[in-house]
Every structure is written in C-alpha cells, then in structure tokens.
C-alpha cells in the first residue's frame, strides 16, 4: 500500500518483518557488496540483527566490503561503556559477523570537541559516497535517531538534549535506572537522514501505532520528526500488525 508517497509493508509479526528485512539485506549486499548502510539501535531491530547473524552463520551473507554508519550515540559514554550504542551493536551484530573494523563508523560520545566530531561524521559519510540504505527505528514520541520532537529540527549531525520519554525508553540499557541514562546524545540530523538514497523504517508493537499513524498520515511537523520522511523519494515503512493498526483506512 502507498500513502503520502511512502510504501507501507505490513507483516504478521515482528519476527516475520525481521526475517524479511534480513533477506532484503542479503539481496542488497549480493547486488552491491560495497553497500553503505545506516543502522539503528533499540529493541525493534534486535530480532533483525539476530536474523542477520543466523544468515551469516549459514554462509548466506558477506559483510566484508560493506560500510556502516550508526545513527546516534549517547554523549559522555565511551564506546566501551556497557550502555553505549556502540556496545549494543557489538553485542547484537558486529562481534558475530565479518564487517571490516575500519568500515564500521560511529559517533564518538566522548570526543573532546563535539562540534568537530559531528563535522567529522558528516565528512566521513560524504567520503563514503553517502548512505545507500538507511534503516530506522521509530520513537513512540515520533523521534528518528535522536531527532526529538520540538519547535524546530536540526539539519546536520549534532548534539541534542534527550526528552524524559526517550530517556525512559532507553532505561533498559542502564539497568532500568532512568537517572543513569545520559541527558545528551549525538545524532545524525534530518538532512543527513533525508539524504540517504533509500530508507526503510521498521516499527513493531502496539506502542508504536500512534507514531506510525502520525508519521504516515499526519502533517509534516517538527512535533513529529519522522513525519519529514514523507518528503523522501524512496522511503518504506515496514510494520507488524500491531504497529499498523491505525493505518487501515484508505490506502493507495
Ligand atoms: C532510541 C534510538 C532510536 C530508536 C528508538 C526506538 O531512542 N535513538 O534510534 O529508533 O529509540 O527504540 P525501540 O526500538 O527500543 O522502541
């Protein structure tokens, strides 16, 4: 189904969405082994990463020439800190498959100069030829990456303050202590995101249904950063039954 120029794909369960997405990546890498991939963190992509690991173990996928850029990282956390997004990616994907270490790119949450770090990230993405395929999750409050709802949005990679809702949503990485979740983060900006050649946003579970509805059918507003994806020419929104419940009326 197509709504507001976006392709919506619906799956019976989070597991079937995850395995379809992993098989899609197999095809993308087969046709372009040098794929430049943007990657998200969060609970949503965990089954997808597990599928990628299984496909790698089955000899069906080779990441050796691919390049990755993660969307965001907490400010103040070193890559080795257990709560960091870098540590999350190591746990769920990187340590199990064969990406070349030098082609894994991450924002450095403890860079001495955050402005310079954000610029470095933008330049590295540009030098890699831009993002071929950016995979996104969706915040229940409509955020993408760490572009939080507000009066305005930021174009390029930047440092941002996290909302309480987002810190609560990330508390599991910090033994459920919201107070331990960093208050600031570094994130690709909306321009960085919208300049990816293709985008696939994955949203599963009933808690995401209102945000999916606003992203797909709502007005484009900084109050729902994901609504800006309506401006992109090649975006797909992949949802399971529960996340897609509010989309039913009047497709195509
Ligand atoms: C986090 C990340 C986002 C992610 C979102 C959803 O805060 N910064 O990139 O998409 O929250 O997370 P989850 O999949 O756990 O719901």
């Amino acid at each position: 189904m197509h709504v507001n120029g976006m392709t919506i794909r619906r799956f019976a369960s989070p597991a079937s969405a995850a395995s379809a997405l992993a098989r899609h990546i197999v095809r993308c890498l087969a046709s372009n082994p040098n794929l430049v991939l943007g990657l998200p963190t969060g609970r949503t992509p965990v089954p997808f990463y597990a599928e990628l690991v299984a496909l790698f173990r089955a000899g069906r996928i080779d990441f050796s020439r691919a390049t990755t850029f993660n969307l965001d990282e907490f400010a103040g956390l070193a890559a080795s800190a257990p709560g960091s997004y870098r540590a999350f990616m190591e746990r769920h994907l990187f340590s199990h498959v064969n990406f070349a270490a030098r082609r894994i790119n991450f924002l450095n949450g403890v860079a001495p100069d955050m402005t310079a770090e954000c610029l470095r990230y933008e330049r590295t993405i540009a030098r890699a030829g831009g993002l071929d395929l950016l995979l996104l999750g969706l915040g229940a409050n409509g955020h993408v990456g760490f572009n939080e709802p507000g009066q305005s949005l930021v174009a390029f990679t930047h440092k941002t303050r996290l909302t309480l809702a987002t810190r609560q949503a990330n508390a599991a990485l910090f033994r459920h202590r919201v107070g331990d979740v960093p208050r600031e983060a570094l994130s690709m900006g909306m321009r960085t995101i919208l300049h990816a050649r293709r985008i696939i946003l994955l949203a599963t579970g009933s808690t995401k249904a209102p945000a999916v509805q606003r992203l797909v059918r709502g007005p484009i507003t900084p109050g729902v950063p994901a609504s800006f994806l309506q401006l992109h020419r090649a975006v797909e929104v992949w949802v399971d039954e529960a996340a897609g419940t509010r989309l039913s009326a009047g497709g195509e």
Side-chain angles (χ1 to χ4, degrees), residues 165-242:
T166 293
R167 293 177 63 228
Q168 283 162 344
N170 279 275
L173 290 171
F174 299 86
R175 286 176 292 165
H176 300 278
R177 292 191 195 136
V178 181
D180 289 353
V181 182
R183 287 167 194 279
E184 293 181 323
L186 303 179
S187 177
M188 286 186 193
M190 292 309 297
R191 181 187 191 277
T192 328
I193 289 171
L194 291 171
H195 274 234
R197 286 180 196 90
R198 287 184 62 215
I199 296 175
I200 298 177
L201 180 143
L202 178 65
T204 56
S206 57
T207 56
K208 300 294 171 71
V212 168
Q213 181 190 33
R214 289 199 293 269
L215 137 69
V216 173
R217 292 194 182 276
I220 298 169
T221 161
V224 182
S227 65
F228 279 74
L229 297 178
Q230 292 175 27
L231 299 173
H232 194 272
R233 68 171 73 202
V235 58
E236 295 180 21
V237 177
W238 291 27
V239 293
D240 70 339
E241 287 280 346

Side-chain angles (χ1 to χ4, degrees), residues 36-40 67-73 105-107 118 121-122 124-125 130-136 143-148 153-160 185-196 199 225:
V36 180
L37 202 50
L39 295 174
T67 297
T68 68
F69 287 90
N70 262 79
L71 268 169
D72 45 17
E73 179 59 287
N105 294 282
F106 238 93
L107 282 155
C118 293
Y121 211 56
E122 289 286 344
T124 316
I125 294 171
L131 301 171
D132 292 315
L133 173 60
L134 172 59
L135 306 180
L136 292 175
H143 75 225
V144 278
F146 273 137
N147 294 276
E148 293 278 41
L153 294 169
V154 181
F156 290 97
T157 301
H158 59 285
K159 187 165 89 166
T160 183
L186 303 179
S187 177
M188 286 186 193
M190 292 309 297
R191 181 187 191 277
T192 328
I193 289 171
L194 291 171
H195 274 234
I199 296 175

Side-chain angles (χ1 to χ4, degrees), residues 12-173:
S13 65
S16 55
S19 86
L21 187 53
R23 281 181 277 117
H24 183 70
I25 300 299
V26 169
R27 289 193 293 277
C28 291
L29 276 170
S31 64
N32 176 16
N34 300 313
L35 193 72
V36 180
L37 202 50
L39 295 174
T41 49
R43 274 150 302 181
T44 311
V46 168
F48 158 67
Y49 291 143
E51 289 282 343
L52 285 184
V53 172
L55 288 166
F56 175 74
R57 289 188 176 145
R60 298 212 17 226
I61 192 163
D62 175 19
F63 298 100
S64 62
R65 287 165 59 189
T67 297
T68 68
F69 287 90
N70 262 79
L71 268 169
D72 45 17
E73 179 59 287
F74 293 109
L77 288 191
S80 56
S84 75
Y85 278 170
R86 176 61 200 242
F88 172 97
M89 291 303 298
E90 289 294 333
R91 240 180 354 260
H92 291 285
L93 183 66
F94 295 155
S95 66
H96 308 289
V97 300
N98 70 334
F99 285 109
R102 68 182 183 287
R103 284 195 280 272
I104 292 176
N105 294 282
F106 238 93
L107 282 155
N108 175 6
V110 290
D113 179 341
M114 294 292 187
T115 309
E117 172 61 7
C118 293
L119 261 175
R120 177 197 69 81
Y121 211 56
E122 289 286 344
R123 288 200 186 114
T124 316
I125 294 171
R127 228 177 283 131
L131 301 171
D132 292 315
L133 173 60
L134 172 59
L135 306 180
L136 292 175
L138 176 66
N141 67 358
H143 75 225
V144 278
F146 273 137
N147 294 276
E148 293 278 41
Q151 302 283 316
S152 60
L153 294 169
V154 181
F156 290 97
T157 301
H158 59 285
K159 187 165 89 166
T160 183
R161 260 194 108 64
L162 300 178
T163 60
L164 181 58
T166 293
R167 293 177 63 228
Q168 283 162 344
N170 279 275
L173 290 171

